[in-house]
Amino acid sequence: RNAREGNMTKLKIKSINHGETKADKNRYCGPAVISAITGMTTGEAARLIRHVSGRKSVTGTSTWEVKRSLEMCGVDSTRESFGLALSRSKGPTLAAWLKHTVKQRTADRVFLVVAGWHWQLVQGRRIVCGILGDPTSIRDKRVKRRARVAEVFELQSMGAITKPMAAAKPKRAAQPADGDRAKAKRLAAKLGFTIESQYDTYFDGSRQYMYWIDGADKYVDAGVVEYSCHYSWNDVLDSLQAIEAHKA
């Protein structure tokens, strides 16, 4: 640890950042501790965990998911035991761990602690988690001091903490011009077609829209149009116009 100390960026636990919109917020403890160490919103942290895990929603989080998410932000984690037998059922209580580590818990060291199936960050005599919201005293009555400590990691950063692109709120897909959409719908009605649409959502939250001209398959078979499925209203309009010209 001392050999690396000179190059480290000092970490500091912060208040949980829930942002200002519903999309900025996630109420679970995994995104909360990532928020408290990186400054990103809990919604951004949840998106990052979804990117790492491939899951569509974030409720509980595994050790690997939280560690990997922090790593992508430039925060390393090293497992620590301090000579204690840590486990979910027989490990020391959080109160016992805090007492045992009183000399190691200096103000310049940050520990990520799993106790009672709950993530929390401890720095010196301060603690923060999704329940507490803000860094507060380890003696705060809301701290679950009887919870069993299962895992402990010391967090360190060798450079600036960054927010990965995977955590950013995806930009709303640019919608096609009303002119193309309106023209396509009018022409489809004139020709006796209906247009169906749906979208696929990717792990990063972005969407890919698809549009089908229902009933156009025979024109695909005849070589009048190339596809009945399209990825823009402009392409839908082009196909409808080709069908109109063919029928004329």
Side-chain angles (χ1 to χ4, degrees), residues 46-113:
R47 280 191 286 274
L48 183 56
I49 292 172
R50 289 200 300 271
H51 172 78
V52 167
S53 66
R55 292 189 285 128
K56 292 185 177 181
S57 63
V58 175
T59 52
T61 47
S62 70
T63 298
W64 178 83
E65 289 168 352
V66 172
K67 283 168 56 68
R68 176 57 183 146
S69 296
L70 287 171
E71 183 180 307
M72 291 181 68
C73 299
V75 180
D76 296 329
S77 55
T78 305
R79 187 182 293 271
E80 296 281 2
S81 68
F82 300 106
L84 296 170
L86 307 181
S87 74
R88 294 196 182 277
S89 58
K90 297 182 180 180
T93 63
L94 181 58
W97 180 83
L98 290 168
K99 182 176 181 180
H100 182 82
T101 59
V102 64
K103 292 183 179 180
Q104 292 92 342
R105 287 186 292 101
T106 56
D108 64 341
R109 300 180 74 180
V110 176
F111 296 100
L112 177 64
V113 181

Short mmCIF file of all heavy atoms in Angstrom, two decimals, residues 46-113:
data_model
loop_
_atom_site.label_atom_id
_atom_site.label_comp_id
_atom_site.label_asym_id
_atom_site.label_seq_id
_atom_site.Cartn_x
_atom_site.Cartn_y
_atom_site.Cartn_z
N ALA A 46 -26.73 2.69 -11.78
CA ALA A 46 -27.54 1.52 -12.14
C ALA A 46 -27.36 1.16 -13.61
O ALA A 46 -27.30 -0.02 -13.97
CB ALA A 46 -29.01 1.79 -11.83
N ARG A 47 -27.29 2.20 -14.48
CA ARG A 47 -27.06 1.91 -15.90
C ARG A 47 -25.71 1.24 -16.11
O ARG A 47 -25.56 0.35 -16.94
CB ARG A 47 -27.16 3.21 -16.72
CG ARG A 47 -28.57 3.64 -17.01
CD ARG A 47 -28.62 4.75 -18.03
NE ARG A 47 -28.20 6.03 -17.47
CZ ARG A 47 -29.00 6.87 -16.83
NH1 ARG A 47 -30.27 6.56 -16.67
NH2 ARG A 47 -28.55 8.01 -16.37
N LEU A 48 -24.71 1.69 -15.34
CA LEU A 48 -23.38 1.08 -15.45
C LEU A 48 -23.42 -0.38 -15.00
O LEU A 48 -22.82 -1.25 -15.64
CB LEU A 48 -22.38 1.88 -14.60
CG LEU A 48 -20.93 1.42 -14.67
CD1 LEU A 48 -20.41 1.42 -16.10
CD2 LEU A 48 -20.06 2.33 -13.79
N ILE A 49 -24.13 -0.66 -13.92
CA ILE A 49 -24.25 -2.04 -13.44
C ILE A 49 -24.99 -2.89 -14.47
O ILE A 49 -24.63 -4.04 -14.72
CB ILE A 49 -24.98 -2.07 -12.08
CG1 ILE A 49 -24.10 -1.42 -11.00
CG2 ILE A 49 -25.29 -3.52 -11.67
CD1 ILE A 49 -24.80 -1.23 -9.67
N ARG A 50 -26.03 -2.33 -15.08
CA ARG A 50 -26.74 -3.08 -16.13
C ARG A 50 -25.82 -3.38 -17.30
O ARG A 50 -25.87 -4.47 -17.88
CB ARG A 50 -27.97 -2.29 -16.62
CG ARG A 50 -29.10 -2.21 -15.63
CD ARG A 50 -30.41 -1.86 -16.30
NE ARG A 50 -30.38 -0.58 -16.97
CZ ARG A 50 -30.69 0.59 -16.39
NH1 ARG A 50 -31.03 0.61 -15.11
NH2 ARG A 50 -30.66 1.70 -17.08
N HIS A 51 -24.97 -2.44 -17.63
CA HIS A 51 -23.99 -2.66 -18.71
C HIS A 51 -23.04 -3.78 -18.35
O HIS A 51 -22.73 -4.65 -19.18
CB HIS A 51 -23.21 -1.37 -18.96
CG HIS A 51 -22.06 -1.52 -19.90
ND1 HIS A 51 -22.21 -1.58 -21.27
CD2 HIS A 51 -20.72 -1.66 -19.67
CE1 HIS A 51 -21.03 -1.74 -21.83
NE2 HIS A 51 -20.11 -1.78 -20.89
N VAL A 52 -22.56 -3.79 -17.12
CA VAL A 52 -21.61 -4.80 -16.65
C VAL A 52 -22.26 -6.17 -16.58
O VAL A 52 -21.68 -7.18 -16.98
CB VAL A 52 -21.04 -4.39 -15.27
CG1 VAL A 52 -20.30 -5.56 -14.62
CG2 VAL A 52 -20.10 -3.20 -15.42
N SER A 53 -23.48 -6.22 -16.05
CA SER A 53 -24.13 -7.50 -15.77
C SER A 53 -24.96 -8.04 -16.93
O SER A 53 -25.19 -9.25 -17.01
CB SER A 53 -25.05 -7.36 -14.55
OG SER A 53 -26.13 -6.48 -14.85
N GLY A 54 -25.40 -7.16 -17.81
CA GLY A 54 -26.29 -7.59 -18.88
C GLY A 54 -27.73 -7.73 -18.44
O GLY A 54 -28.57 -8.19 -19.19
N ARG A 55 -28.02 -7.32 -17.18
CA ARG A 55 -29.39 -7.42 -16.68
C ARG A 55 -30.20 -6.19 -17.07
O ARG A 55 -29.65 -5.11 -17.27
CB ARG A 55 -29.39 -7.57 -15.15
CG ARG A 55 -28.81 -8.90 -14.70
CD ARG A 55 -29.01 -9.12 -13.21
NE ARG A 55 -28.10 -8.31 -12.40
CZ ARG A 55 -28.48 -7.52 -11.42
NH1 ARG A 55 -29.77 -7.40 -11.13
NH2 ARG A 55 -27.60 -6.84 -10.71
N LYS A 56 -31.52 -6.35 -17.16
CA LYS A 56 -32.39 -5.24 -17.56
C LYS A 56 -32.77 -4.34 -16.40
O LYS A 56 -33.22 -3.22 -16.61
CB LYS A 56 -33.65 -5.79 -18.23
CG LYS A 56 -33.38 -6.44 -19.58
CD LYS A 56 -34.68 -6.86 -20.25
CE LYS A 56 -34.42 -7.46 -21.63
NZ LYS A 56 -35.68 -7.85 -22.31
N SER A 57 -32.64 -4.83 -15.16
CA SER A 57 -32.97 -4.01 -14.01
C SER A 57 -31.98 -4.30 -12.89
O SER A 57 -31.37 -5.37 -12.85
CB SER A 57 -34.40 -4.28 -13.53
OG SER A 57 -34.54 -5.62 -13.09
N VAL A 58 -31.83 -3.35 -11.98
CA VAL A 58 -30.89 -3.49 -10.87
C VAL A 58 -31.64 -3.41 -9.56
O VAL A 58 -32.26 -2.39 -9.24
CB VAL A 58 -29.81 -2.39 -10.93
CG1 VAL A 58 -28.91 -2.48 -9.70
CG2 VAL A 58 -28.97 -2.53 -12.19
N THR A 59 -31.62 -4.51 -8.83
CA THR A 59 -32.17 -4.53 -7.47
C THR A 59 -31.00 -4.90 -6.55
O THR A 59 -30.27 -4.04 -6.11
CB THR A 59 -33.34 -5.52 -7.36
OG1 THR A 59 -32.93 -6.80 -7.86
CG2 THR A 59 -34.53 -5.02 -8.17
N GLY A 60 -30.79 -6.18 -6.31
CA GLY A 60 -29.59 -6.61 -5.61
C GLY A 60 -28.40 -6.63 -6.56
O GLY A 60 -28.56 -6.77 -7.77
N THR A 61 -27.21 -6.47 -6.00
CA THR A 61 -26.00 -6.47 -6.84
C THR A 61 -24.96 -7.41 -6.24
O THR A 61 -24.79 -7.49 -5.02
CB THR A 61 -25.39 -5.06 -6.94
OG1 THR A 61 -25.34 -4.47 -5.65
CG2 THR A 61 -26.20 -4.18 -7.86
N SER A 62 -24.24 -8.10 -7.10
CA SER A 62 -23.19 -9.01 -6.66
C SER A 62 -21.90 -8.24 -6.41
O SER A 62 -21.73 -7.10 -6.86
CB SER A 62 -22.93 -10.09 -7.72
OG SER A 62 -22.31 -9.52 -8.86
N THR A 63 -20.99 -8.88 -5.69
CA THR A 63 -19.68 -8.27 -5.43
C THR A 63 -18.98 -7.95 -6.74
O THR A 63 -18.43 -6.85 -6.93
CB THR A 63 -18.82 -9.21 -4.59
OG1 THR A 63 -19.45 -9.43 -3.33
CG2 THR A 63 -17.42 -8.63 -4.36
N TRP A 64 -19.00 -8.89 -7.67
CA TRP A 64 -18.31 -8.69 -8.94
C TRP A 64 -18.88 -7.50 -9.70
O TRP A 64 -18.13 -6.70 -10.28
CB TRP A 64 -18.42 -9.95 -9.81
CG TRP A 64 -17.77 -9.77 -11.14
CD1 TRP A 64 -16.46 -9.91 -11.44
CD2 TRP A 64 -18.42 -9.39 -12.37
NE1 TRP A 64 -16.23 -9.64 -12.77
CE2 TRP A 64 -17.42 -9.32 -13.36
CE3 TRP A 64 -19.74 -9.12 -12.71
CZ2 TRP A 64 -17.69 -8.98 -14.69
CZ3 TRP A 64 -20.02 -8.76 -14.03
CH2 TRP A 64 -19.01 -8.71 -15.00
N GLU A 65 -20.19 -7.33 -9.69
CA GLU A 65 -20.82 -6.23 -10.43
C GLU A 65 -20.40 -4.88 -9.87
O GLU A 65 -20.10 -3.95 -10.63
CB GLU A 65 -22.34 -6.38 -10.39
CG GLU A 65 -22.86 -7.53 -11.23
CD GLU A 65 -24.31 -7.87 -10.96
OE1 GLU A 65 -24.89 -7.30 -10.01
OE2 GLU A 65 -24.86 -8.72 -11.68
N VAL A 66 -20.38 -4.75 -8.55
CA VAL A 66 -20.00 -3.48 -7.94
C VAL A 66 -18.51 -3.21 -8.15
O VAL A 66 -18.12 -2.09 -8.53
CB VAL A 66 -20.35 -3.47 -6.44
CG1 VAL A 66 -19.78 -2.22 -5.75
CG2 VAL A 66 -21.86 -3.53 -6.24
N LYS A 67 -17.67 -4.22 -7.94
CA LYS A 67 -16.23 -4.04 -8.13
C LYS A 67 -15.90 -3.68 -9.58
O LYS A 67 -15.09 -2.79 -9.83
CB LYS A 67 -15.47 -5.32 -7.73
CG LYS A 67 -15.33 -5.52 -6.23
CD LYS A 67 -14.84 -6.92 -5.88
CE LYS A 67 -13.53 -7.29 -6.56
NZ LYS A 67 -12.41 -6.49 -6.04
N ARG A 68 -16.51 -4.37 -10.53
CA ARG A 68 -16.23 -4.10 -11.94
C ARG A 68 -16.73 -2.71 -12.34
O ARG A 68 -16.07 -2.00 -13.10
CB ARG A 68 -16.89 -5.18 -12.81
CG ARG A 68 -16.74 -4.96 -14.31
CD ARG A 68 -15.31 -4.85 -14.74
NE ARG A 68 -15.20 -4.58 -16.16
CZ ARG A 68 -14.24 -3.84 -16.70
NH1 ARG A 68 -13.29 -3.31 -15.95
NH2 ARG A 68 -14.22 -3.64 -18.02
N SER A 69 -17.88 -2.32 -11.83
CA SER A 69 -18.42 -0.99 -12.13
C SER A 69 -17.48 0.10 -11.60
O SER A 69 -17.20 1.09 -12.29
CB SER A 69 -19.81 -0.83 -11.52
OG SER A 69 -20.72 -1.75 -12.11
N LEU A 70 -17.00 -0.08 -10.38
CA LEU A 70 -16.06 0.89 -9.81
C LEU A 70 -14.76 0.92 -10.61
O LEU A 70 -14.19 1.99 -10.84
CB LEU A 70 -15.77 0.54 -8.34
CG LEU A 70 -16.91 0.83 -7.36
CD1 LEU A 70 -16.57 0.25 -5.99
CD2 LEU A 70 -17.16 2.33 -7.25
N GLU A 71 -14.31 -0.24 -11.04
CA GLU A 71 -13.09 -0.33 -11.82
C GLU A 71 -13.21 0.48 -13.12
O GLU A 71 -12.27 1.16 -13.54
CB GLU A 71 -12.79 -1.79 -12.15
CG GLU A 71 -11.50 -2.03 -12.90
CD GLU A 71 -11.29 -3.51 -13.19
OE1 GLU A 71 -11.36 -4.30 -12.23
OE2 GLU A 71 -11.08 -3.86 -14.36
N MET A 72 -14.39 0.43 -13.73
CA MET A 72 -14.62 1.19 -14.96
C MET A 72 -14.58 2.70 -14.71
O MET A 72 -14.35 3.48 -15.63
CB MET A 72 -15.95 0.79 -15.60
CG MET A 72 -15.95 -0.61 -16.17
SD MET A 72 -17.54 -1.04 -16.96
CE MET A 72 -17.52 0.09 -18.38
N CYS A 73 -14.80 3.09 -13.47
CA CYS A 73 -14.74 4.51 -13.09
C CYS A 73 -13.34 4.93 -12.65
O CYS A 73 -13.11 6.11 -12.33
CB CYS A 73 -15.72 4.80 -11.95
SG CYS A 73 -17.44 4.49 -12.37
N GLY A 74 -12.41 3.97 -12.59
CA GLY A 74 -11.05 4.27 -12.16
C GLY A 74 -10.80 4.03 -10.69
O GLY A 74 -9.83 4.55 -10.12
N VAL A 75 -11.66 3.24 -10.05
CA VAL A 75 -11.51 2.94 -8.62
C VAL A 75 -11.20 1.46 -8.44
O VAL A 75 -12.01 0.61 -8.81
CB VAL A 75 -12.80 3.31 -7.84
CG1 VAL A 75 -12.63 2.99 -6.35
CG2 VAL A 75 -13.14 4.78 -8.04
N ASP A 76 -10.03 1.17 -7.88
CA ASP A 76 -9.63 -0.21 -7.62
C ASP A 76 -10.11 -0.64 -6.24
O ASP A 76 -10.32 0.18 -5.35
CB ASP A 76 -8.11 -0.35 -7.68
CG ASP A 76 -7.56 -0.04 -9.06
OD1 ASP A 76 -8.26 -0.31 -10.05
OD2 ASP A 76 -6.42 0.46 -9.15
N SER A 77 -10.27 -1.95 -6.06
CA SER A 77 -10.68 -2.48 -4.76
C SER A 77 -9.80 -3.66 -4.38
O SER A 77 -9.52 -4.53 -5.20
CB SER A 77 -12.15 -2.91 -4.79
OG SER A 77 -12.38 -3.83 -5.84
N THR A 78 -9.36 -3.67 -3.14
CA THR A 78 -8.52 -4.73 -2.62
C THR A 78 -9.19 -5.35 -1.40
O THR A 78 -9.55 -4.63 -0.46
CB THR A 78 -7.14 -4.19 -2.21
OG1 THR A 78 -6.55 -3.51 -3.32
CG2 THR A 78 -6.22 -5.34 -1.77
N ARG A 79 -9.36 -6.67 -1.43
CA ARG A 79 -10.02 -7.35 -0.32
C ARG A 79 -9.18 -7.24 0.95
O ARG A 79 -7.95 -7.41 0.93
CB ARG A 79 -10.26 -8.82 -0.66
CG ARG A 79 -11.10 -9.57 0.38
CD ARG A 79 -11.24 -11.04 0.00
NE ARG A 79 -12.01 -11.21 -1.21
CZ ARG A 79 -13.33 -11.34 -1.24
NH1 ARG A 79 -14.02 -11.32 -0.10
NH2 ARG A 79 -13.98 -11.49 -2.38
N GLU A 80 -9.83 -6.96 2.07
CA GLU A 80 -9.18 -6.87 3.37
C GLU A 80 -9.94 -7.72 4.38
O GLU A 80 -11.17 -7.83 4.31
CB GLU A 80 -9.14 -5.42 3.87
CG GLU A 80 -8.33 -4.47 3.02
CD GLU A 80 -6.84 -4.58 3.28
OE1 GLU A 80 -6.44 -5.43 4.10
OE2 GLU A 80 -6.07 -3.80 2.67
N SER A 81 -9.21 -8.32 5.34
CA SER A 81 -9.89 -9.07 6.39
C SER A 81 -9.48 -8.61 7.79
O SER A 81 -10.20 -8.80 8.76
CB SER A 81 -9.58 -10.56 6.27
OG SER A 81 -8.21 -10.82 6.55
N PHE A 82 -8.28 -8.00 7.90
CA PHE A 82 -7.74 -7.54 9.18
C PHE A 82 -7.69 -8.67 10.21
O PHE A 82 -7.89 -8.45 11.41
CB PHE A 82 -8.57 -6.37 9.73
CG PHE A 82 -8.58 -5.18 8.82
CD1 PHE A 82 -9.71 -4.87 8.09
CD2 PHE A 82 -7.46 -4.37 8.67
CE1 PHE A 82 -9.73 -3.78 7.24
CE2 PHE A 82 -7.48 -3.28 7.83
CZ PHE A 82 -8.62 -2.98 7.11
N GLY A 83 -7.49 -9.90 9.70
CA GLY A 83 -7.36 -11.04 10.60
C GLY A 83 -8.68 -11.58 11.11
O GLY A 83 -8.69 -12.47 11.97
N LEU A 84 -9.79 -11.07 10.61
CA LEU A 84 -11.10 -11.53 11.05
C LEU A 84 -11.67 -12.55 10.08
O LEU A 84 -11.39 -12.51 8.88
CB LEU A 84 -12.06 -10.33 11.15
CG LEU A 84 -11.71 -9.27 12.19
CD1 LEU A 84 -12.59 -8.05 12.00
CD2 LEU A 84 -11.87 -9.82 13.60
N ALA A 85 -12.48 -13.46 10.59
CA ALA A 85 -13.14 -14.46 9.75
C ALA A 85 -14.47 -13.87 9.29
O ALA A 85 -15.46 -13.88 10.01
CB ALA A 85 -13.36 -15.75 10.54
N LEU A 86 -14.47 -13.36 8.07
CA LEU A 86 -15.66 -12.69 7.56
C LEU A 86 -16.58 -13.70 6.88
O LEU A 86 -16.13 -14.53 6.11
CB LEU A 86 -15.27 -11.60 6.57
CG LEU A 86 -14.24 -10.57 7.05
CD1 LEU A 86 -13.97 -9.55 5.96
CD2 LEU A 86 -14.72 -9.89 8.32
N SER A 87 -17.87 -13.61 7.14
CA SER A 87 -18.85 -14.46 6.46
C SER A 87 -20.22 -13.88 6.71
O SER A 87 -20.44 -13.10 7.65
CB SER A 87 -18.80 -15.90 6.96
OG SER A 87 -19.37 -16.01 8.25
N ARG A 88 -21.18 -14.25 5.87
CA ARG A 88 -22.53 -13.70 5.98
C ARG A 88 -23.27 -14.17 7.23
O ARG A 88 -24.14 -13.48 7.74
CB ARG A 88 -23.34 -14.05 4.74
CG ARG A 88 -22.80 -13.40 3.47
CD ARG A 88 -23.81 -13.44 2.35
NE ARG A 88 -23.26 -12.86 1.13
CZ ARG A 88 -23.20 -11.57 0.85
NH1 ARG A 88 -23.67 -10.70 1.75
NH2 ARG A 88 -22.69 -11.12 -0.28
N SER A 89 -22.91 -15.36 7.74
CA SER A 89 -23.65 -15.90 8.88
C SER A 89 -22.88 -15.86 10.19
O SER A 89 -23.47 -15.70 11.26
CB SER A 89 -24.07 -17.35 8.59
OG SER A 89 -22.94 -18.15 8.32
N LYS A 90 -21.53 -15.97 10.11
CA LYS A 90 -20.74 -16.06 11.34
C LYS A 90 -19.67 -14.98 11.45
O LYS A 90 -18.84 -15.01 12.35
CB LYS A 90 -20.09 -17.44 11.44
CG LYS A 90 -21.11 -18.57 11.54
CD LYS A 90 -20.42 -19.91 11.68
CE LYS A 90 -21.43 -21.05 11.78
NZ LYS A 90 -20.79 -22.38 11.91
N GLY A 91 -19.67 -14.05 10.50
CA GLY A 91 -18.68 -12.98 10.56
C GLY A 91 -18.92 -12.06 11.74
O GLY A 91 -19.96 -12.14 12.40
N PRO A 92 -17.98 -11.18 12.03
CA PRO A 92 -18.17 -10.23 13.14
C PRO A 92 -19.29 -9.25 12.82
O PRO A 92 -19.60 -9.00 11.66
CB PRO A 92 -16.81 -9.51 13.20
CG PRO A 92 -16.28 -9.59 11.80
CD PRO A 92 -16.72 -10.93 11.29
N THR A 93 -19.92 -8.74 13.84
CA THR A 93 -20.92 -7.71 13.61
C THR A 93 -20.21 -6.45 13.10
O THR A 93 -18.99 -6.29 13.26
CB THR A 93 -21.68 -7.37 14.89
OG1 THR A 93 -20.75 -6.83 15.85
CG2 THR A 93 -22.38 -8.59 15.45
N LEU A 94 -20.97 -5.57 12.50
CA LEU A 94 -20.38 -4.32 12.03
C LEU A 94 -19.78 -3.55 13.20
O LEU A 94 -18.70 -2.95 13.08
CB LEU A 94 -21.44 -3.48 11.32
CG LEU A 94 -20.97 -2.14 10.75
CD1 LEU A 94 -19.83 -2.33 9.75
CD2 LEU A 94 -22.14 -1.40 10.10
N ALA A 95 -20.44 -3.59 14.34
CA ALA A 95 -19.91 -2.91 15.53
C ALA A 95 -18.55 -3.50 15.93
O ALA A 95 -17.61 -2.76 16.25
CB ALA A 95 -20.90 -3.04 16.69
N ALA A 96 -18.43 -4.83 15.89
CA ALA A 96 -17.16 -5.48 16.25
C ALA A 96 -16.08 -5.16 15.23
O ALA A 96 -14.91 -4.94 15.59
CB ALA A 96 -17.37 -6.99 16.35
N TRP A 97 -16.46 -5.12 13.96
CA TRP A 97 -15.48 -4.79 12.92
C TRP A 97 -14.98 -3.36 13.08
O TRP A 97 -13.78 -3.09 12.97
CB TRP A 97 -16.11 -4.98 11.53
CG TRP A 97 -15.14 -4.67 10.42
CD1 TRP A 97 -14.20 -5.49 9.89
CD2 TRP A 97 -15.00 -3.41 9.74
NE1 TRP A 97 -13.49 -4.84 8.91
CE2 TRP A 97 -13.97 -3.56 8.79
CE3 TRP A 97 -15.66 -2.19 9.82
CZ2 TRP A 97 -13.56 -2.53 7.95
CZ3 TRP A 97 -15.26 -1.15 8.98
CH2 TRP A 97 -14.23 -1.34 8.06
N LEU A 98 -15.88 -2.44 13.36
CA LEU A 98 -15.49 -1.05 13.56
C LEU A 98 -14.54 -0.91 14.75
O LEU A 98 -13.56 -0.15 14.70
CB LEU A 98 -16.73 -0.19 13.78
CG LEU A 98 -17.63 0.02 12.55
CD1 LEU A 98 -18.97 0.64 12.96
CD2 LEU A 98 -16.94 0.89 11.51
N LYS A 99 -14.80 -1.66 15.81
CA LYS A 99 -13.94 -1.60 17.00
C LYS A 99 -12.57 -2.21 16.69
O LYS A 99 -11.53 -1.67 17.09
CB LYS A 99 -14.60 -2.35 18.15
CG LYS A 99 -13.81 -2.31 19.45
CD LYS A 99 -14.56 -3.00 20.58
CE LYS A 99 -13.77 -2.94 21.89
NZ LYS A 99 -14.50 -3.61 23.00
N HIS A 100 -12.56 -3.34 15.96
CA HIS A 100 -11.31 -4.03 15.65
C HIS A 100 -10.41 -3.21 14.73
O HIS A 100 -9.19 -3.30 14.79
CB HIS A 100 -11.64 -5.38 14.99
CG HIS A 100 -10.43 -6.20 14.67
ND1 HIS A 100 -9.80 -7.00 15.60
CD2 HIS A 100 -9.73 -6.35 13.50
CE1 HIS A 100 -8.77 -7.60 15.05
NE2 HIS A 100 -8.71 -7.23 13.76
N THR A 101 -11.02 -2.39 13.87
CA THR A 101 -10.25 -1.66 12.85
C THR A 101 -10.07 -0.19 13.20
O THR A 101 -9.74 0.62 12.32
CB THR A 101 -10.95 -1.77 11.48
OG1 THR A 101 -12.28 -1.22 11.58
CG2 THR A 101 -11.03 -3.22 11.02
N VAL A 102 -10.26 0.17 14.45
CA VAL A 102 -10.23 1.59 14.83
C VAL A 102 -8.91 2.26 14.45
O VAL A 102 -8.88 3.44 14.05
CB VAL A 102 -10.52 1.75 16.34
CG1 VAL A 102 -9.43 1.11 17.18
CG2 VAL A 102 -10.72 3.23 16.68
N LYS A 103 -7.79 1.53 14.52
CA LYS A 103 -6.49 2.13 14.19
C LYS A 103 -6.26 2.19 12.68
O LYS A 103 -5.54 3.05 12.19
CB LYS A 103 -5.37 1.35 14.86
CG LYS A 103 -5.36 1.47 16.38
CD LYS A 103 -4.17 0.72 16.98
CE LYS A 103 -4.15 0.87 18.50
NZ LYS A 103 -3.00 0.13 19.13
N GLN A 104 -6.85 1.24 11.96
CA GLN A 104 -6.66 1.21 10.50
C GLN A 104 -7.59 2.18 9.77
O GLN A 104 -7.31 2.61 8.65
CB GLN A 104 -6.90 -0.20 9.96
CG GLN A 104 -5.84 -1.21 10.39
CD GLN A 104 -6.22 -1.93 11.67
OE1 GLN A 104 -7.10 -1.46 12.41
NE2 GLN A 104 -5.57 -3.05 11.94
N ARG A 105 -8.70 2.52 10.38
CA ARG A 105 -9.70 3.37 9.73
C ARG A 105 -9.32 4.84 9.86
O ARG A 105 -9.94 5.62 10.57
CB ARG A 105 -11.09 3.12 10.31
CG ARG A 105 -11.71 1.81 9.90
CD ARG A 105 -13.14 1.69 10.40
NE ARG A 105 -13.24 1.58 11.85
CZ ARG A 105 -13.56 2.57 12.67
NH1 ARG A 105 -13.83 3.78 12.18
NH2 ARG A 105 -13.63 2.38 13.98
N THR A 106 -8.30 5.23 9.11
CA THR A 106 -7.87 6.63 9.12
C THR A 106 -8.70 7.42 8.11
O THR A 106 -9.38 6.85 7.25
CB THR A 106 -6.39 6.72 8.77
OG1 THR A 106 -6.17 6.07 7.52
CG2 THR A 106 -5.54 6.03 9.84
N ALA A 107 -8.59 8.73 8.18
CA ALA A 107 -9.41 9.60 7.34
C ALA A 107 -9.05 9.52 5.86
O ALA A 107 -9.82 9.97 5.01
CB ALA A 107 -9.30 11.05 7.81
N ASP A 108 -7.87 8.96 5.54
CA ASP A 108 -7.46 8.87 4.14
C ASP A 108 -7.69 7.49 3.53
O ASP A 108 -7.25 7.21 2.42
CB ASP A 108 -5.98 9.25 3.99
CG ASP A 108 -5.06 8.29 4.72
OD1 ASP A 108 -5.55 7.55 5.61
OD2 ASP A 108 -3.86 8.26 4.40
N ARG A 109 -8.43 6.63 4.25
CA ARG A 109 -8.71 5.30 3.72
C ARG A 109 -10.23 5.10 3.64
O ARG A 109 -10.97 5.45 4.55
CB ARG A 109 -8.09 4.20 4.59
CG ARG A 109 -6.57 4.30 4.72
CD ARG A 109 -6.01 3.20 5.59
NE ARG A 109 -6.01 1.90 4.92
CZ ARG A 109 -5.56 0.78 5.48
NH1 ARG A 109 -5.11 0.79 6.74
NH2 ARG A 109 -5.58 -0.35 4.80
N VAL A 110 -10.67 4.53 2.51
CA VAL A 110 -12.10 4.28 2.29
C VAL A 110 -12.32 2.78 2.15
O VAL A 110 -11.65 2.12 1.36
CB VAL A 110 -12.61 4.99 1.02
CG1 VAL A 110 -14.08 4.65 0.76
CG2 VAL A 110 -12.44 6.51 1.15
N PHE A 111 -13.28 2.26 2.91
CA PHE A 111 -13.59 0.83 2.88
C PHE A 111 -15.02 0.61 2.39
O PHE A 111 -15.96 1.28 2.83
CB PHE A 111 -13.41 0.21 4.26
CG PHE A 111 -12.00 0.27 4.77
CD1 PHE A 111 -11.61 1.25 5.68
CD2 PHE A 111 -11.04 -0.63 4.31
CE1 PHE A 111 -10.30 1.32 6.13
CE2 PHE A 111 -9.74 -0.56 4.75
CZ PHE A 111 -9.36 0.41 5.66
N LEU A 112 -15.14 -0.35 1.49
CA LEU A 112 -16.44 -0.78 0.99
C LEU A 112 -16.80 -2.04 1.78
O LEU A 112 -16.10 -3.05 1.71
CB LEU A 112 -16.35 -1.08 -0.50
CG LEU A 112 -17.59 -1.63 -1.19
CD1 LEU A 112 -18.73 -0.63 -1.16
CD2 LEU A 112 -17.26 -2.01 -2.64
N VAL A 113 -17.89 -1.98 2.52
CA VAL A 113 -18.23 -3.06 3.46
C VAL A 113 -19.58 -3.66 3.08
O VAL A 113 -20.56 -2.96 2.82
CB VAL A 113 -18.31 -2.51 4.90
CG1 VAL A 113 -18.64 -3.62 5.89
CG2 VAL A 113 -17.00 -1.83 5.28
#
